[in-house]
Amino acid sequence: MTTDQAAASAAPPALAARGGRYVWVVLALLCFVYVLNFLDRQLLSILAKPIQDELGITDGQIGRLGGLYFALFYCILGVPVAWLADRTNRVRVLTIACALWSAATIACGLARTYPQLAIARMSVGVGEAGGVPPSYSIISDYFPAERRGTALGLFNLGPPIGQALGVAFGAKIAAAYDWRLAFILLGVAGLIAAVAVLGIVREPRRGATDRKAAATPVPASAPVVAAAVVDGEATGFWATLRMFATQPTLALVSLAAAATQFVTYGTMGFTTLFLMREKAMTLDEIALWYALLLGIFVSAGIYLSGRLTDHYAARSPQVYGLLPGIALAVAVPFFIGFVHAPTWPVAMAFLIVPTFLNYFYLTPAVTLVQNSVSAHQRTLAGAVLLLIMNLIGLGLGPTWVGAVSDWLRPDHPVNSLQLAFYSLVPFYLIAIAFHLALARHLRSAAAR
């Protein structure tokens, strides 16, 4: 046993079961770090127009910067970082990761050419690879299974809050001063947050909130393990990847989430540019109206999906697939209305519904995976889930939209992004099909 593992074992049990206030402080701080994580990640798409104007880059290059280039490092390095976190001190891993991506964000603001900006974005991906999986695992050891969905739902408010603050903060700074200053200020805030994590968050004992169970593998047919295995050693990457390949629950939930992220990241990577270039919206208007829309409706969707999951999962496990599947089906016509709208106020009104419903997948997916593996597998299982989701969604979604826009622009110079957004509709249908397949599997497994 390593020194960090011994320290973790000796750490006091998580206080969530007793309603201690400290666990909520930890959750709030981890959520704040996730806000910065996502704000760093999305600032490029938010400031795409002024960056394009200064550096002279195309939609396809923007798509690769925020998609493929970032995702390759973010996803691939997330696995060894999670392997390390499952065997050492997760809080230290998170601290180092936060400091690294914040320094890389500052470098983005100092970049003078496209290659320099590309290298800086790859470095942001390297740092952010160590952000989310350790946080998932820490939260799962502070909150018991019956409250884990709500806790992870609150943690997953990080992306919408980060998006909203990024739009408001980034657009305002860029409009008043310069797009570079937004990157630099955000990087400095991240360095301060890294110090706060190291000083405040205590490493919890692994499996502290799980009911003690025999040290046996989780059955492949089990859709949800309410009391995950506490004993046993951390599982290696290849064994964890085999679990995702051989267990239908893990395979279906990861593919369903990946297909959904293809749509969400593809849309999010170009919405600001689309609204400014094709709907005549200004940076100041973006900073107010688009920021409010993201902050309110994405947050509401993620939080409500977590509460609904906790409420229905015990008696209806198919909710993990059915809830996001129905949400996406309702969102499709409103997404088409957003893309087709003649003016930005009409487009924003249509965008409210998909903004609310597109993220109903996230908390159920994370909760299902965390509940379906042992306590010593959670960080690596979370990393594999993110690997699959982000390689497909984050890596290919923005890359696809940017490439389609570049391809169509010679013949459709005025509305190439509008047509590229229409190409996301089939991916909505793929995501719905995967979620419904997951719901059918979970219902059958529960019946067995």
Side-chain angles (χ1 to χ4, degrees):
M1 179 180 290
T2 67
T3 303
D4 286 334
Q5 285 175 317
S9 298
L15 302 177
R18 313 203 290 267
R21 286 177 295 184
Y22 174 71
V23 298
W24 299 105
V25 173
V26 169
L27 182 60
L29 182 55
L30 294 181
C31 183
F32 176 69
V33 172
Y34 198 10
V35 167
L36 294 178
N37 177 303
F38 216 82
L39 213 166
D40 285 352
R41 191 185 312 176
Q42 295 305 315
L43 199 57
L44 178 74
S45 64
I46 294 163
L47 300 177
K49 185 67 166 60
I51 292 172
Q52 276 191 330
D53 292 343
E54 181 172 335
L55 300 184
I57 57 181
T58 67
D59 290 352
Q61 289 175 312
I62 284 286
R64 290 192 294 276
L65 277 177
L68 188 62
Y69 297 160
F70 176 90
L72 281 176
F73 287 86
Y74 176 71
C75 297
I76 293 172
L77 288 177
V79 173
V81 169
W83 179 91
L84 180 67
D86 265 338
R87 288 158 175 79
T88 59
N89 188 294
R90 293 162 288 182
V91 174
R92 293 178 192 170
V93 170
L94 177 60
T95 299
I96 294 170
C98 184
L100 178 57
W101 85 59
S102 300
T105 300
I106 294 174
C108 290
L110 301 177
R112 296 292 171 181
T113 64
Y114 181 76
Q116 290 176 356
L117 185 57
I119 293 171
R121 293 306 295 170
M122 293 174 189
S123 301
V124 172
V126 171
E128 291 193 5
V132 180
S135 297
Y136 283 159
S137 182
I138 291 169
I139 291 169
S140 294
D141 284 337
Y142 271 110
F143 290 85
E146 61 271 16
R147 298 172 63 190
R148 202 167 288 150
T150 298
L152 288 170
L154 289 169
F155 173 73
N156 282 329
L157 293 179
I161 295 172
Q163 289 176 58
L165 289 179
V167 171
F169 166 79
K172 276 293 184 185
I173 293 294
Y177 300 100
D178 180 65
W179 65 266
R180 299 179 183 278
L181 183 61
F183 281 100
I184 293 171
L185 291 177
L186 184 58
V188 171
L191 294 175
I192 296 171
V195 175
V197 169
L198 187 62
I200 294 174
V201 180
R202 297 196 300 267
E203 176 75 2
R205 178 172 59 82
R206 297 182 192 271
T209 58
D210 292 320
R211 293 189 292 273
K212 193 72 173 178
T216 55
V218 177
S221 62
V224 184
V225 182
V229 180
V230 177
D231 296 327
E233 295 298 322
T235 306
F237 167 68
W238 293 111
T240 304
L241 194 61
R242 279 195 298 273
M243 277 191 347
F244 274 78
T246 59
Q247 294 188 22
T249 297
L250 298 178
L252 286 170
V253 71
S254 56
L255 290 173
T260 308
Q261 282 204 342
F262 191 100
V263 175
T264 59
Y265 276 117
T267 303
M268 189 165 46
F270 286 93
T271 295
T272 300
L273 185 59
F274 174 61
L275 290 170
M276 292 183 67
R277 197 167 74 196
E278 298 190 16
K279 305 296 184 185
M281 205 170 179
T282 67
L283 268 177
D284 284 331
E285 290 167 340
I286 290 279
L288 175 61
W289 298 111
Y290 186 42
L292 283 174
L293 186 146
L294 289 174
I296 295 171
F297 293 101
V298 179
S299 300
I302 289 177
Y303 179 72
L304 180 59
S305 65
R307 293 301 300 268
L308 290 173
T309 299
D310 276 350
H311 183 74
Y312 289 108
R315 61 180 182 272
S316 301
Q318 63 266 29
V319 72
Y320 289 99
L322 194 59
L323 180 64
I326 293 173
L328 290 172
V330 174
V332 172
F334 291 91
F335 175 78
I336 294 172
F338 156 68
V339 178
H340 184 71
T343 63
W344 73 258
V346 178
M348 294 290 285
F350 274 107
L351 188 58
I352 288 173
V353 176
T355 299
F356 175 63
L357 296 175
N358 278 357
Y359 294 88
F360 267 51
Y361 78 97
L362 185 57
T363 300
V366 172
T367 306
L368 180 59
V369 170
Q370 293 291 298
N371 284 352
S372 297
V373 301
S374 75
H376 291 271
Q377 297 171 321
R378 283 181 180 144
T379 307
L380 197 51
V384 171
L385 174 66
L386 291 174
L387 172 68
I388 297 168
M389 288 196 309
N390 289 323
L391 271 179
I392 296 173
L394 176 59
L396 300 180
T399 304
W400 167 268
V401 174
V404 172
S405 179
D406 277 357
W407 179 58
L408 294 172
R409 196 159 193 186
D411 295 326
H412 303 275
V414 177
N415 65 333
S416 62
L417 264 179
Q418 181 189 47
L419 298 176
F421 273 167
Y422 281 131
S423 73
L424 290 174
V425 173
F427 295 98
Y428 258 112
L429 304 180
I430 293 170
I432 293 167
F434 272 123
H435 277 108
L436 295 181
L438 173 63
R440 284 195 298 270
H441 166 71
L442 294 174
R443 185 172 59 247
S444 299
R448 290 196 300 272

